[in-house]
mmCIF file of all heavy atoms in Angstrom:
data_model
loop_
_atom_site.group_PDB
_atom_site.id
_atom_site.type_symbol
_atom_site.label_atom_id
_atom_site.label_comp_id
_atom_site.label_asym_id
_atom_site.label_seq_id
_atom_site.Cartn_x
_atom_site.Cartn_y
_atom_site.Cartn_z
ATOM 1 N N MET A 1 -3.867 5.410 -16.869
ATOM 2 C CA MET A 1 -2.593 4.734 -16.729
ATOM 3 C C MET A 1 -2.522 4.048 -15.373
ATOM 4 O O MET A 1 -2.755 4.672 -14.343
ATOM 5 C CB MET A 1 -1.473 5.762 -16.850
ATOM 6 C CG MET A 1 -0.114 5.181 -16.697
ATOM 7 S SD MET A 1 1.100 6.473 -17.003
ATOM 8 C CE MET A 1 2.283 6.025 -15.811
ATOM 9 N N LEU A 2 -2.228 2.776 -15.379
ATOM 10 C CA LEU A 2 -2.093 2.022 -14.140
ATOM 11 C C LEU A 2 -0.655 2.074 -13.662
ATOM 12 O O LEU A 2 0.269 1.762 -14.403
ATOM 13 C CB LEU A 2 -2.496 0.559 -14.355
ATOM 14 C CG LEU A 2 -3.961 0.324 -14.697
ATOM 15 C CD1 LEU A 2 -4.200 -1.138 -14.984
ATOM 16 C CD2 LEU A 2 -4.841 0.782 -13.567
ATOM 17 N N VAL A 3 -0.494 2.473 -12.435
ATOM 18 C CA VAL A 3 0.842 2.547 -11.846
ATOM 19 C C VAL A 3 1.052 1.290 -11.014
ATOM 20 O O VAL A 3 0.232 0.961 -10.163
ATOM 21 C CB VAL A 3 0.989 3.811 -10.971
ATOM 22 C CG1 VAL A 3 2.337 3.851 -10.307
ATOM 23 C CG2 VAL A 3 0.759 5.051 -11.807
ATOM 24 N N ARG A 4 2.148 0.609 -11.268
ATOM 25 C CA ARG A 4 2.477 -0.601 -10.509
ATOM 26 C C ARG A 4 3.748 -0.346 -9.712
ATOM 27 O O ARG A 4 4.736 0.122 -10.252
ATOM 28 C CB ARG A 4 2.685 -1.784 -11.458
ATOM 29 C CG ARG A 4 1.436 -2.139 -12.203
ATOM 30 C CD ARG A 4 1.726 -3.218 -13.232
ATOM 31 N NE ARG A 4 0.615 -3.372 -14.147
ATOM 32 C CZ ARG A 4 -0.349 -4.261 -13.998
ATOM 33 N NH1 ARG A 4 -0.331 -5.094 -12.990
ATOM 34 N NH2 ARG A 4 -1.327 -4.323 -14.869
ATOM 35 N N ARG A 5 3.684 -0.658 -8.445
ATOM 36 C CA ARG A 5 4.814 -0.466 -7.548
ATOM 37 C C ARG A 5 4.992 -1.707 -6.684
ATOM 38 O O ARG A 5 4.039 -2.434 -6.423
ATOM 39 C CB ARG A 5 4.595 0.727 -6.611
ATOM 40 C CG ARG A 5 4.362 2.025 -7.307
ATOM 41 C CD ARG A 5 5.680 2.691 -7.628
ATOM 42 N NE ARG A 5 5.461 4.049 -8.113
ATOM 43 C CZ ARG A 5 5.677 4.412 -9.360
ATOM 44 N NH1 ARG A 5 6.107 3.558 -10.243
ATOM 45 N NH2 ARG A 5 5.467 5.654 -9.733
ATOM 46 N N ARG A 6 6.218 -1.919 -6.206
ATOM 47 C CA ARG A 6 6.494 -3.012 -5.278
ATOM 48 C C ARG A 6 6.367 -2.543 -3.836
ATOM 49 O O ARG A 6 5.977 -3.300 -2.963
ATOM 50 C CB ARG A 6 7.901 -3.563 -5.510
ATOM 51 C CG ARG A 6 8.021 -4.327 -6.821
ATOM 52 C CD ARG A 6 9.361 -4.999 -6.962
ATOM 53 N NE ARG A 6 9.510 -5.967 -5.889
ATOM 54 C CZ ARG A 6 10.649 -6.192 -5.261
ATOM 55 N NH1 ARG A 6 11.729 -5.545 -5.579
ATOM 56 N NH2 ARG A 6 10.703 -7.068 -4.299
ATOM 57 N N VAL A 7 6.728 -1.289 -3.576
ATOM 58 C CA VAL A 7 6.694 -0.748 -2.208
ATOM 59 C C VAL A 7 5.540 0.238 -2.108
ATOM 60 O O VAL A 7 5.429 1.163 -2.910
ATOM 61 C CB VAL A 7 8.024 -0.048 -1.857
ATOM 62 C CG1 VAL A 7 7.960 0.538 -0.458
ATOM 63 C CG2 VAL A 7 9.192 -1.008 -1.989
ATOM 64 N N TRP A 8 4.690 0.014 -1.127
ATOM 65 C CA TRP A 8 3.539 0.881 -0.883
ATOM 66 C C TRP A 8 3.536 1.291 0.579
ATOM 67 O O TRP A 8 3.988 0.558 1.451
ATOM 68 C CB TRP A 8 2.235 0.145 -1.193
ATOM 69 C CG TRP A 8 2.012 -0.075 -2.647
ATOM 70 C CD1 TRP A 8 2.478 -1.114 -3.393
ATOM 71 C CD2 TRP A 8 1.283 0.761 -3.537
ATOM 72 N NE1 TRP A 8 2.071 -0.967 -4.693
ATOM 73 C CE2 TRP A 8 1.340 0.174 -4.812
ATOM 74 C CE3 TRP A 8 0.589 1.954 -3.384
ATOM 75 C CZ2 TRP A 8 0.722 0.744 -5.917
ATOM 76 C CZ3 TRP A 8 -0.024 2.505 -4.487
ATOM 77 C CH2 TRP A 8 0.044 1.905 -5.735
ATOM 78 N N PHE A 9 3.025 2.472 0.835
ATOM 79 C CA PHE A 9 2.815 2.954 2.198
ATOM 80 C C PHE A 9 1.313 3.064 2.415
ATOM 81 O O PHE A 9 0.573 3.430 1.502
ATOM 82 C CB PHE A 9 3.455 4.330 2.398
ATOM 83 C CG PHE A 9 4.953 4.289 2.379
ATOM 84 C CD1 PHE A 9 5.643 4.539 1.213
ATOM 85 C CD2 PHE A 9 5.661 3.996 3.528
ATOM 86 C CE1 PHE A 9 7.022 4.498 1.178
ATOM 87 C CE2 PHE A 9 7.047 3.956 3.509
ATOM 88 C CZ PHE A 9 7.725 4.205 2.327
ATOM 89 N N TYR A 10 0.867 2.731 3.611
ATOM 90 C CA TYR A 10 -0.556 2.834 3.928
ATOM 91 C C TYR A 10 -0.728 3.354 5.342
ATOM 92 O O TYR A 10 0.160 3.240 6.178
ATOM 93 C CB TYR A 10 -1.253 1.480 3.757
ATOM 94 C CG TYR A 10 -0.854 0.434 4.772
ATOM 95 C CD1 TYR A 10 -1.610 0.246 5.926
ATOM 96 C CD2 TYR A 10 0.268 -0.364 4.589
ATOM 97 C CE1 TYR A 10 -1.255 -0.709 6.864
ATOM 98 C CE2 TYR A 10 0.630 -1.309 5.519
ATOM 99 C CZ TYR A 10 -0.139 -1.488 6.647
ATOM 100 O OH TYR A 10 0.223 -2.423 7.581
ATOM 101 N N ARG A 11 -1.878 3.939 5.578
ATOM 102 C CA ARG A 11 -2.250 4.425 6.901
ATOM 103 C C ARG A 11 -3.665 3.981 7.155
ATOM 104 O O ARG A 11 -4.561 4.198 6.340
ATOM 105 C CB ARG A 11 -2.148 5.944 6.955
ATOM 106 C CG ARG A 11 -2.309 6.509 8.350
ATOM 107 C CD ARG A 11 -2.161 8.022 8.365
ATOM 108 N NE ARG A 11 -3.194 8.669 7.569
ATOM 109 C CZ ARG A 11 -4.441 8.898 7.995
ATOM 110 N NH1 ARG A 11 -4.804 8.535 9.187
ATOM 111 N NH2 ARG A 11 -5.303 9.491 7.199
ATOM 112 N N LEU A 12 -3.886 3.338 8.281
ATOM 113 C CA LEU A 12 -5.228 2.927 8.678
ATOM 114 C C LEU A 12 -5.924 4.088 9.378
ATOM 115 O O LEU A 12 -5.272 5.019 9.856
ATOM 116 C CB LEU A 12 -5.167 1.719 9.608
ATOM 117 C CG LEU A 12 -4.532 0.451 9.018
ATOM 118 C CD1 LEU A 12 -4.399 -0.611 10.097
ATOM 119 C CD2 LEU A 12 -5.333 -0.059 7.850
ATOM 120 N N ALA A 13 -7.230 4.047 9.425
ATOM 121 C CA ALA A 13 -8.000 5.103 10.088
ATOM 122 C C ALA A 13 -7.597 5.196 11.559
ATOM 123 O O ALA A 13 -7.443 4.186 12.239
ATOM 124 C CB ALA A 13 -9.488 4.803 9.978
ATOM 125 N N GLY A 14 -7.365 6.410 12.016
ATOM 126 C CA GLY A 14 -7.009 6.639 13.407
ATOM 127 C C GLY A 14 -5.516 6.568 13.692
ATOM 128 O O GLY A 14 -5.093 6.855 14.803
ATOM 129 N N GLU A 15 -4.708 6.174 12.730
ATOM 130 C CA GLU A 15 -3.256 6.120 12.939
ATOM 131 C C GLU A 15 -2.607 7.418 12.504
ATOM 132 O O GLU A 15 -3.040 8.045 11.545
ATOM 133 C CB GLU A 15 -2.634 4.961 12.152
ATOM 134 C CG GLU A 15 -3.005 3.607 12.682
ATOM 135 C CD GLU A 15 -2.278 2.493 11.948
ATOM 136 O OE1 GLU A 15 -1.788 2.718 10.822
ATOM 137 O OE2 GLU A 15 -2.216 1.397 12.495
ATOM 138 N N ARG A 16 -1.556 7.820 13.191
ATOM 139 C CA ARG A 16 -0.850 9.051 12.839
ATOM 140 C C ARG A 16 0.216 8.825 11.777
ATOM 141 O O ARG A 16 0.474 9.698 10.964
ATOM 142 C CB ARG A 16 -0.164 9.628 14.080
ATOM 143 C CG ARG A 16 -1.119 10.307 15.029
ATOM 144 C CD ARG A 16 -0.375 10.907 16.170
ATOM 145 N NE ARG A 16 0.264 12.150 15.729
ATOM 146 C CZ ARG A 16 0.973 12.920 16.502
ATOM 147 N NH1 ARG A 16 1.177 12.587 17.750
ATOM 148 N NH2 ARG A 16 1.512 14.027 16.045
ATOM 149 N N PHE A 17 0.863 7.663 11.823
ATOM 150 C CA PHE A 17 1.998 7.424 10.947
ATOM 151 C C PHE A 17 1.705 6.315 9.948
ATOM 152 O O PHE A 17 0.921 5.413 10.219
ATOM 153 C CB PHE A 17 3.236 7.060 11.770
ATOM 154 C CG PHE A 17 3.616 8.136 12.744
ATOM 155 C CD1 PHE A 17 3.336 8.002 14.090
ATOM 156 C CD2 PHE A 17 4.220 9.302 12.308
ATOM 157 C CE1 PHE A 17 3.669 9.005 14.989
ATOM 158 C CE2 PHE A 17 4.559 10.310 13.195
ATOM 159 C CZ PHE A 17 4.282 10.158 14.538
ATOM 160 N N ALA A 18 2.370 6.388 8.809
ATOM 161 C CA ALA A 18 2.192 5.389 7.753
ATOM 162 C C ALA A 18 3.074 4.176 8.008
ATOM 163 O O ALA A 18 4.098 4.264 8.679
ATOM 164 C CB ALA A 18 2.533 6.008 6.406
ATOM 165 N N ARG A 19 2.668 3.057 7.454
ATOM 166 C CA ARG A 19 3.444 1.820 7.501
ATOM 167 C C ARG A 19 3.796 1.442 6.067
ATOM 168 O O ARG A 19 3.077 1.786 5.142
ATOM 169 C CB ARG A 19 2.623 0.689 8.107
ATOM 170 C CG ARG A 19 2.191 0.954 9.511
ATOM 171 C CD ARG A 19 1.368 -0.194 9.996
ATOM 172 N NE ARG A 19 0.752 0.116 11.277
ATOM 173 C CZ ARG A 19 0.248 -0.802 12.065
ATOM 174 N NH1 ARG A 19 0.254 -2.056 11.714
ATOM 175 N NH2 ARG A 19 -0.284 -0.454 13.218
ATOM 176 N N ALA A 20 4.868 0.714 5.897
ATOM 177 C CA ALA A 20 5.294 0.280 4.567
ATOM 178 C C ALA A 20 4.961 -1.200 4.372
ATOM 179 O O ALA A 20 4.978 -1.975 5.328
ATOM 180 C CB ALA A 20 6.787 0.492 4.392
ATOM 181 N N ILE A 21 4.652 -1.560 3.148
ATOM 182 C CA ILE A 21 4.435 -2.958 2.780
ATOM 183 C C ILE A 21 5.110 -3.172 1.432
ATOM 184 O O ILE A 21 5.070 -2.301 0.564
ATOM 185 C CB ILE A 21 2.939 -3.324 2.741
ATOM 186 C CG1 ILE A 21 2.756 -4.811 2.543
ATOM 187 C CG2 ILE A 21 2.196 -2.527 1.709
ATOM 188 C CD1 ILE A 21 1.342 -5.299 2.806
ATOM 189 N N THR A 22 5.777 -4.311 1.272
ATOM 190 C CA THR A 22 6.497 -4.626 0.049
ATOM 191 C C THR A 22 5.966 -5.928 -0.528
ATOM 192 O O THR A 22 5.722 -6.886 0.210
ATOM 193 C CB THR A 22 8.011 -4.781 0.344
ATOM 194 O OG1 THR A 22 8.473 -3.595 0.968
ATOM 195 C CG2 THR A 22 8.801 -5.012 -0.926
ATOM 196 N N PHE A 23 5.790 -5.960 -1.836
ATOM 197 C CA PHE A 23 5.325 -7.143 -2.541
ATOM 198 C C PHE A 23 6.432 -7.673 -3.446
ATOM 199 O O PHE A 23 7.293 -6.918 -3.884
ATOM 200 C CB PHE A 23 4.092 -6.806 -3.385
ATOM 201 C CG PHE A 23 2.916 -6.367 -2.552
ATOM 202 C CD1 PHE A 23 2.677 -5.020 -2.330
ATOM 203 C CD2 PHE A 23 2.067 -7.294 -1.990
ATOM 204 C CE1 PHE A 23 1.605 -4.609 -1.562
ATOM 205 C CE2 PHE A 23 0.987 -6.882 -1.215
ATOM 206 C CZ PHE A 23 0.752 -5.542 -1.000
ATOM 207 N N ARG A 24 6.416 -8.971 -3.735
ATOM 208 C CA ARG A 24 7.417 -9.563 -4.621
ATOM 209 C C ARG A 24 7.275 -9.073 -6.053
ATOM 210 O O ARG A 24 8.257 -8.914 -6.747
ATOM 211 C CB ARG A 24 7.320 -11.089 -4.606
ATOM 212 C CG ARG A 24 7.988 -11.703 -3.400
ATOM 213 C CD ARG A 24 7.970 -13.202 -3.481
ATOM 214 N NE ARG A 24 6.916 -13.642 -2.581
ATOM 215 C CZ ARG A 24 6.074 -14.617 -2.809
ATOM 216 N NH1 ARG A 24 6.147 -15.310 -3.893
ATOM 217 N NH2 ARG A 24 5.144 -14.917 -1.938
ATOM 218 N N ILE A 25 6.037 -8.853 -6.486
ATOM 219 C CA ILE A 25 5.780 -8.373 -7.842
ATOM 220 C C ILE A 25 5.111 -7.005 -7.758
ATOM 221 O O ILE A 25 4.412 -6.718 -6.788
ATOM 222 C CB ILE A 25 4.895 -9.362 -8.644
ATOM 223 C CG1 ILE A 25 3.562 -9.574 -7.936
ATOM 224 C CG2 ILE A 25 5.618 -10.684 -8.844
ATOM 225 C CD1 ILE A 25 2.548 -10.345 -8.756
ATOM 226 N N PRO A 26 5.306 -6.144 -8.751
ATOM 227 C CA PRO A 26 4.628 -4.842 -8.738
ATOM 228 C C PRO A 26 3.107 -5.010 -8.779
ATOM 229 O O PRO A 26 2.588 -5.856 -9.498
ATOM 230 C CB PRO A 26 5.125 -4.165 -10.009
ATOM 231 C CG PRO A 26 6.403 -4.845 -10.326
ATOM 232 C CD PRO A 26 6.227 -6.261 -9.869
ATOM 233 N N MET A 27 2.402 -4.220 -7.987
ATOM 234 C CA MET A 27 0.944 -4.301 -7.899
ATOM 235 C C MET A 27 0.326 -2.923 -8.074
ATOM 236 O O MET A 27 0.939 -1.910 -7.759
ATOM 237 C CB MET A 27 0.526 -4.890 -6.552
ATOM 238 C CG MET A 27 1.017 -6.293 -6.325
ATOM 239 S SD MET A 27 0.488 -6.961 -4.750
ATOM 240 C CE MET A 27 -1.212 -7.306 -5.053
ATOM 241 N N THR A 28 -0.917 -2.907 -8.539
ATOM 242 C CA THR A 28 -1.661 -1.658 -8.677
ATOM 243 C C THR A 28 -2.274 -1.280 -7.326
ATOM 244 O O THR A 28 -2.356 -2.104 -6.409
ATOM 245 C CB THR A 28 -2.784 -1.788 -9.713
ATOM 246 O OG1 THR A 28 -3.705 -2.781 -9.267
ATOM 247 C CG2 THR A 28 -2.250 -2.156 -11.085
ATOM 248 N N ALA A 29 -2.726 -0.053 -7.224
ATOM 249 C CA ALA A 29 -3.327 0.425 -5.970
ATOM 250 C C ALA A 29 -4.571 -0.373 -5.601
ATOM 251 O O ALA A 29 -4.804 -0.654 -4.422
ATOM 252 C CB ALA A 29 -3.655 1.905 -6.091
ATOM 253 N N ALA A 30 -5.370 -0.746 -6.586
ATOM 254 C CA ALA A 30 -6.590 -1.515 -6.302
ATOM 255 C C ALA A 30 -6.260 -2.881 -5.704
ATOM 256 O O ALA A 30 -6.908 -3.331 -4.752
ATOM 257 C CB ALA A 30 -7.410 -1.682 -7.574
ATOM 258 N N LYS A 31 -5.232 -3.534 -6.219
ATOM 259 C CA LYS A 31 -4.841 -4.844 -5.685
ATOM 260 C C LYS A 31 -4.232 -4.714 -4.296
ATOM 261 O O LYS A 31 -4.446 -5.554 -3.437
ATOM 262 C CB LYS A 31 -3.866 -5.530 -6.635
ATOM 263 C CG LYS A 31 -4.542 -6.030 -7.888
ATOM 264 C CD LYS A 31 -3.605 -6.859 -8.717
ATOM 265 C CE LYS A 31 -4.328 -7.363 -9.950
ATOM 266 N NZ LYS A 31 -3.487 -8.286 -10.721
ATOM 267 N N VAL A 32 -3.479 -3.650 -4.077
ATOM 268 C CA VAL A 32 -2.896 -3.411 -2.749
ATOM 269 C C VAL A 32 -4.005 -3.168 -1.739
ATOM 270 O O VAL A 32 -3.992 -3.716 -0.638
ATOM 271 C CB VAL A 32 -1.910 -2.225 -2.787
ATOM 272 C CG1 VAL A 32 -1.482 -1.824 -1.396
ATOM 273 C CG2 VAL A 32 -0.710 -2.560 -3.643
ATOM 274 N N LYS A 33 -4.981 -2.358 -2.101
ATOM 275 C CA LYS A 33 -6.096 -2.064 -1.198
ATOM 276 C C LYS A 33 -6.876 -3.338 -0.864
ATOM 277 O O LYS A 33 -7.256 -3.563 0.290
ATOM 278 C CB LYS A 33 -7.009 -1.022 -1.837
ATOM 279 C CG LYS A 33 -8.003 -0.421 -0.898
ATOM 280 C CD LYS A 33 -8.724 0.741 -1.544
ATOM 281 C CE LYS A 33 -9.616 1.435 -0.552
ATOM 282 N NZ LYS A 33 -10.294 2.588 -1.126
ATOM 283 N N ALA A 34 -7.080 -4.199 -1.857
ATOM 284 C CA ALA A 34 -7.783 -5.466 -1.623
ATOM 285 C C ALA A 34 -6.966 -6.384 -0.719
ATOM 286 O O ALA A 34 -7.513 -7.012 0.195
ATOM 287 C CB ALA A 34 -8.080 -6.146 -2.947
ATOM 288 N N ALA A 35 -5.662 -6.464 -0.944
ATOM 289 C CA ALA A 35 -4.805 -7.315 -0.121
ATOM 290 C C ALA A 35 -4.763 -6.825 1.322
ATOM 291 O O ALA A 35 -4.824 -7.622 2.263
ATOM 292 C CB ALA A 35 -3.395 -7.363 -0.708
ATOM 293 N N LEU A 36 -4.660 -5.513 1.509
ATOM 294 C CA LEU A 36 -4.653 -4.961 2.862
ATOM 295 C C LEU A 36 -5.998 -5.165 3.549
ATOM 296 O O LEU A 36 -6.061 -5.405 4.750
ATOM 297 C CB LEU A 36 -4.294 -3.480 2.836
ATOM 298 C CG LEU A 36 -2.841 -3.148 2.505
ATOM 299 C CD1 LEU A 36 -2.682 -1.649 2.306
ATOM 300 C CD2 LEU A 36 -1.925 -3.642 3.603
ATOM 301 N N GLY A 37 -7.090 -5.052 2.783
ATOM 302 C CA GLY A 37 -8.422 -5.258 3.345
ATOM 303 C C GLY A 37 -8.611 -6.662 3.890
ATOM 304 O O GLY A 37 -9.342 -6.869 4.861
ATOM 305 N N GLN A 38 -7.930 -7.638 3.295
ATOM 306 C CA GLN A 38 -8.041 -9.021 3.753
ATOM 307 C C GLN A 38 -7.137 -9.319 4.941
ATOM 308 O O GLN A 38 -7.376 -10.270 5.677
ATOM 309 C CB GLN A 38 -7.696 -9.981 2.621
ATOM 310 C CG GLN A 38 -8.691 -9.960 1.498
ATOM 311 C CD GLN A 38 -8.262 -10.851 0.342
ATOM 312 O OE1 GLN A 38 -7.191 -11.437 0.359
ATOM 313 N NE2 GLN A 38 -9.104 -10.928 -0.669
ATOM 314 N N THR A 39 -6.076 -8.526 5.124
ATOM 315 C CA THR A 39 -5.118 -8.839 6.186
ATOM 316 C C THR A 39 -5.203 -7.896 7.386
ATOM 317 O O THR A 39 -5.378 -8.355 8.507
ATOM 318 C CB THR A 39 -3.675 -8.832 5.637
ATOM 319 O OG1 THR A 39 -3.420 -7.569 5.029
ATOM 320 C CG2 THR A 39 -3.468 -9.930 4.620
ATOM 321 N N VAL A 40 -5.043 -6.594 7.178
ATOM 322 C CA VAL A 40 -4.976 -5.664 8.311
ATOM 323 C C VAL A 40 -6.188 -4.758 8.439
ATOM 324 O O VAL A 40 -6.381 -4.144 9.474
ATOM 325 C CB VAL A 40 -3.703 -4.785 8.244
ATOM 326 C CG1 VAL A 40 -2.461 -5.624 8.361
ATOM 327 C CG2 VAL A 40 -3.675 -3.955 6.997
ATOM 328 N N GLY A 41 -6.960 -4.598 7.400
ATOM 329 C CA GLY A 41 -8.114 -3.708 7.417
ATOM 330 C C GLY A 41 -8.072 -2.752 6.236
ATOM 331 O O GLY A 41 -7.070 -2.645 5.549
ATOM 332 N N ILE A 42 -9.165 -2.055 6.019
ATOM 333 C CA ILE A 42 -9.257 -1.120 4.896
ATOM 334 C C ILE A 42 -8.394 0.106 5.202
ATOM 335 O O ILE A 42 -8.598 0.765 6.213
ATOM 336 C CB ILE A 42 -10.718 -0.689 4.660
ATOM 337 C CG1 ILE A 42 -11.603 -1.908 4.402
ATOM 338 C CG2 ILE A 42 -10.817 0.303 3.511
ATOM 339 C CD1 ILE A 42 -11.264 -2.684 3.152
ATOM 340 N N PRO A 43 -7.428 0.418 4.331
ATOM 341 C CA PRO A 43 -6.578 1.581 4.589
ATOM 342 C C PRO A 43 -7.306 2.895 4.321
ATOM 343 O O PRO A 43 -8.128 2.989 3.418
ATOM 344 C CB PRO A 43 -5.417 1.394 3.618
ATOM 345 C CG PRO A 43 -5.965 0.553 2.522
ATOM 346 C CD PRO A 43 -7.019 -0.307 3.135
ATOM 347 N N ALA A 44 -6.993 3.906 5.116
ATOM 348 C CA ALA A 44 -7.549 5.238 4.899
ATOM 349 C C ALA A 44 -6.831 5.916 3.742
ATOM 350 O O ALA A 44 -7.437 6.654 2.975
ATOM 351 C CB ALA A 44 -7.418 6.079 6.162
ATOM 352 N N GLU A 45 -5.525 5.652 3.614
ATOM 353 C CA GLU A 45 -4.714 6.233 2.542
ATOM 354 C C GLU A 45 -3.662 5.213 2.102
ATOM 355 O O GLU A 45 -3.176 4.444 2.928
ATOM 356 C CB GLU A 45 -3.966 7.465 3.029
ATOM 357 C CG GLU A 45 -4.828 8.626 3.439
ATOM 358 C CD GLU A 45 -3.984 9.768 3.953
ATOM 359 O OE1 GLU A 45 -3.533 9.694 5.098
ATOM 360 O OE2 GLU A 45 -3.777 10.720 3.164
ATOM 361 N N ILE A 46 -3.326 5.235 0.820
ATOM 362 C CA ILE A 46 -2.200 4.456 0.320
ATOM 363 C C ILE A 46 -1.392 5.299 -0.641
ATOM 364 O O ILE A 46 -1.932 6.170 -1.321
ATOM 365 C CB ILE A 46 -2.639 3.137 -0.359
ATOM 366 C CG1 ILE A 46 -3.578 3.382 -1.518
ATOM 367 C CG2 ILE A 46 -3.233 2.151 0.611
ATOM 368 C CD1 ILE A 46 -3.887 2.145 -2.330
ATOM 369 N N TRP A 47 -0.093 5.086 -0.646
ATOM 370 C CA TRP A 47 0.810 5.784 -1.562
ATOM 371 C C TRP A 47 1.762 4.762 -2.155
ATOM 372 O O TRP A 47 2.233 3.890 -1.451
ATOM 373 C CB TRP A 47 1.733 6.740 -0.888
ATOM 374 C CG TRP A 47 1.317 7.774 0.057
ATOM 375 C CD1 TRP A 47 1.420 9.113 -0.156
ATOM 376 C CD2 TRP A 47 0.829 7.630 1.374
ATOM 377 N NE1 TRP A 47 1.034 9.783 0.966
ATOM 378 C CE2 TRP A 47 0.652 8.900 1.918
ATOM 379 C CE3 TRP A 47 0.509 6.540 2.165
ATOM 380 C CZ2 TRP A 47 0.187 9.107 3.214
ATOM 381 C CZ3 TRP A 47 0.034 6.742 3.439
ATOM 382 C CH2 TRP A 47 -0.129 8.017 3.953
ATOM 383 N N GLY A 48 2.126 4.961 -3.399
ATOM 384 C CA GLY A 48 3.150 4.136 -4.031
ATOM 385 C C GLY A 48 4.491 4.837 -3.967
ATOM 386 O O GLY A 48 4.570 6.054 -4.064
ATOM 387 N N ARG A 49 5.535 4.066 -3.782
ATOM 388 C CA ARG A 49 6.892 4.634 -3.739
ATOM 389 C C ARG A 49 7.634 4.192 -4.975
ATOM 390 O O ARG A 49 7.710 3.016 -5.277
ATOM 391 C CB ARG A 49 7.627 4.137 -2.498
ATOM 392 C CG ARG A 49 9.040 4.637 -2.434
ATOM 393 C CD ARG A 49 9.732 4.130 -1.180
ATOM 394 N NE ARG A 49 11.112 4.546 -1.191
ATOM 395 C CZ ARG A 49 12.132 3.754 -1.494
ATOM 396 N NH1 ARG A 49 11.914 2.504 -1.792
ATOM 397 N NH2 ARG A 49 13.353 4.212 -1.478
ATOM 398 N N SER A 50 8.193 5.135 -5.720
ATOM 399 C CA SER A 50 8.990 4.758 -6.881
ATOM 400 C C SER A 50 10.397 4.399 -6.426
ATOM 401 O O SER A 50 10.962 5.060 -5.581
ATOM 402 C CB SER A 50 9.033 5.832 -7.928
ATOM 403 O OG SER A 50 8.878 7.094 -7.435
ATOM 404 N N ALA A 51 10.902 3.340 -7.000
ATOM 405 C CA ALA A 51 12.221 2.847 -6.575
ATOM 406 C C ALA A 51 13.323 3.401 -7.439
ATOM 407 O O ALA A 51 13.202 3.797 -8.513
ATOM 408 C CB ALA A 51 12.250 1.343 -6.633
#
């Protein structure tokens, strides 16, 4: 089952706290990871937030 969310939290390697990112359309974890990899770097962890 693919989970699609608009709000995701991510943490980069070496960071203590998570950051939030919001998309206009719901996205899967794989697409979020790819988008973050192109902009800020490969995330160490990602979580989806249910609205």
Side-chain angles (χ1 to χ4, degrees):
M1 179 175 143
L2 295 176
V3 177
R4 296 174 192 265
R5 302 274 189 250
R6 290 187 62 218
V7 178
W8 289 86
F9 291 95
Y10 69 95
R11 189 178 62 81
L12 299 174
E15 291 185 340
R16 284 183 77 179
F17 301 104
R19 299 179 189 197
I21 188 167
T22 304
F23 297 95
R24 280 185 257 140
I25 59 171
M27 298 181 75
T28 62
K31 287 188 179 186
V32 171
K33 193 171 186 178
L36 289 171
Q38 293 176 357
T39 56
V40 296
I42 302 296
E45 296 178 282
I46 58 172
W47 309 245
R49 177 180 176 257
S50 28

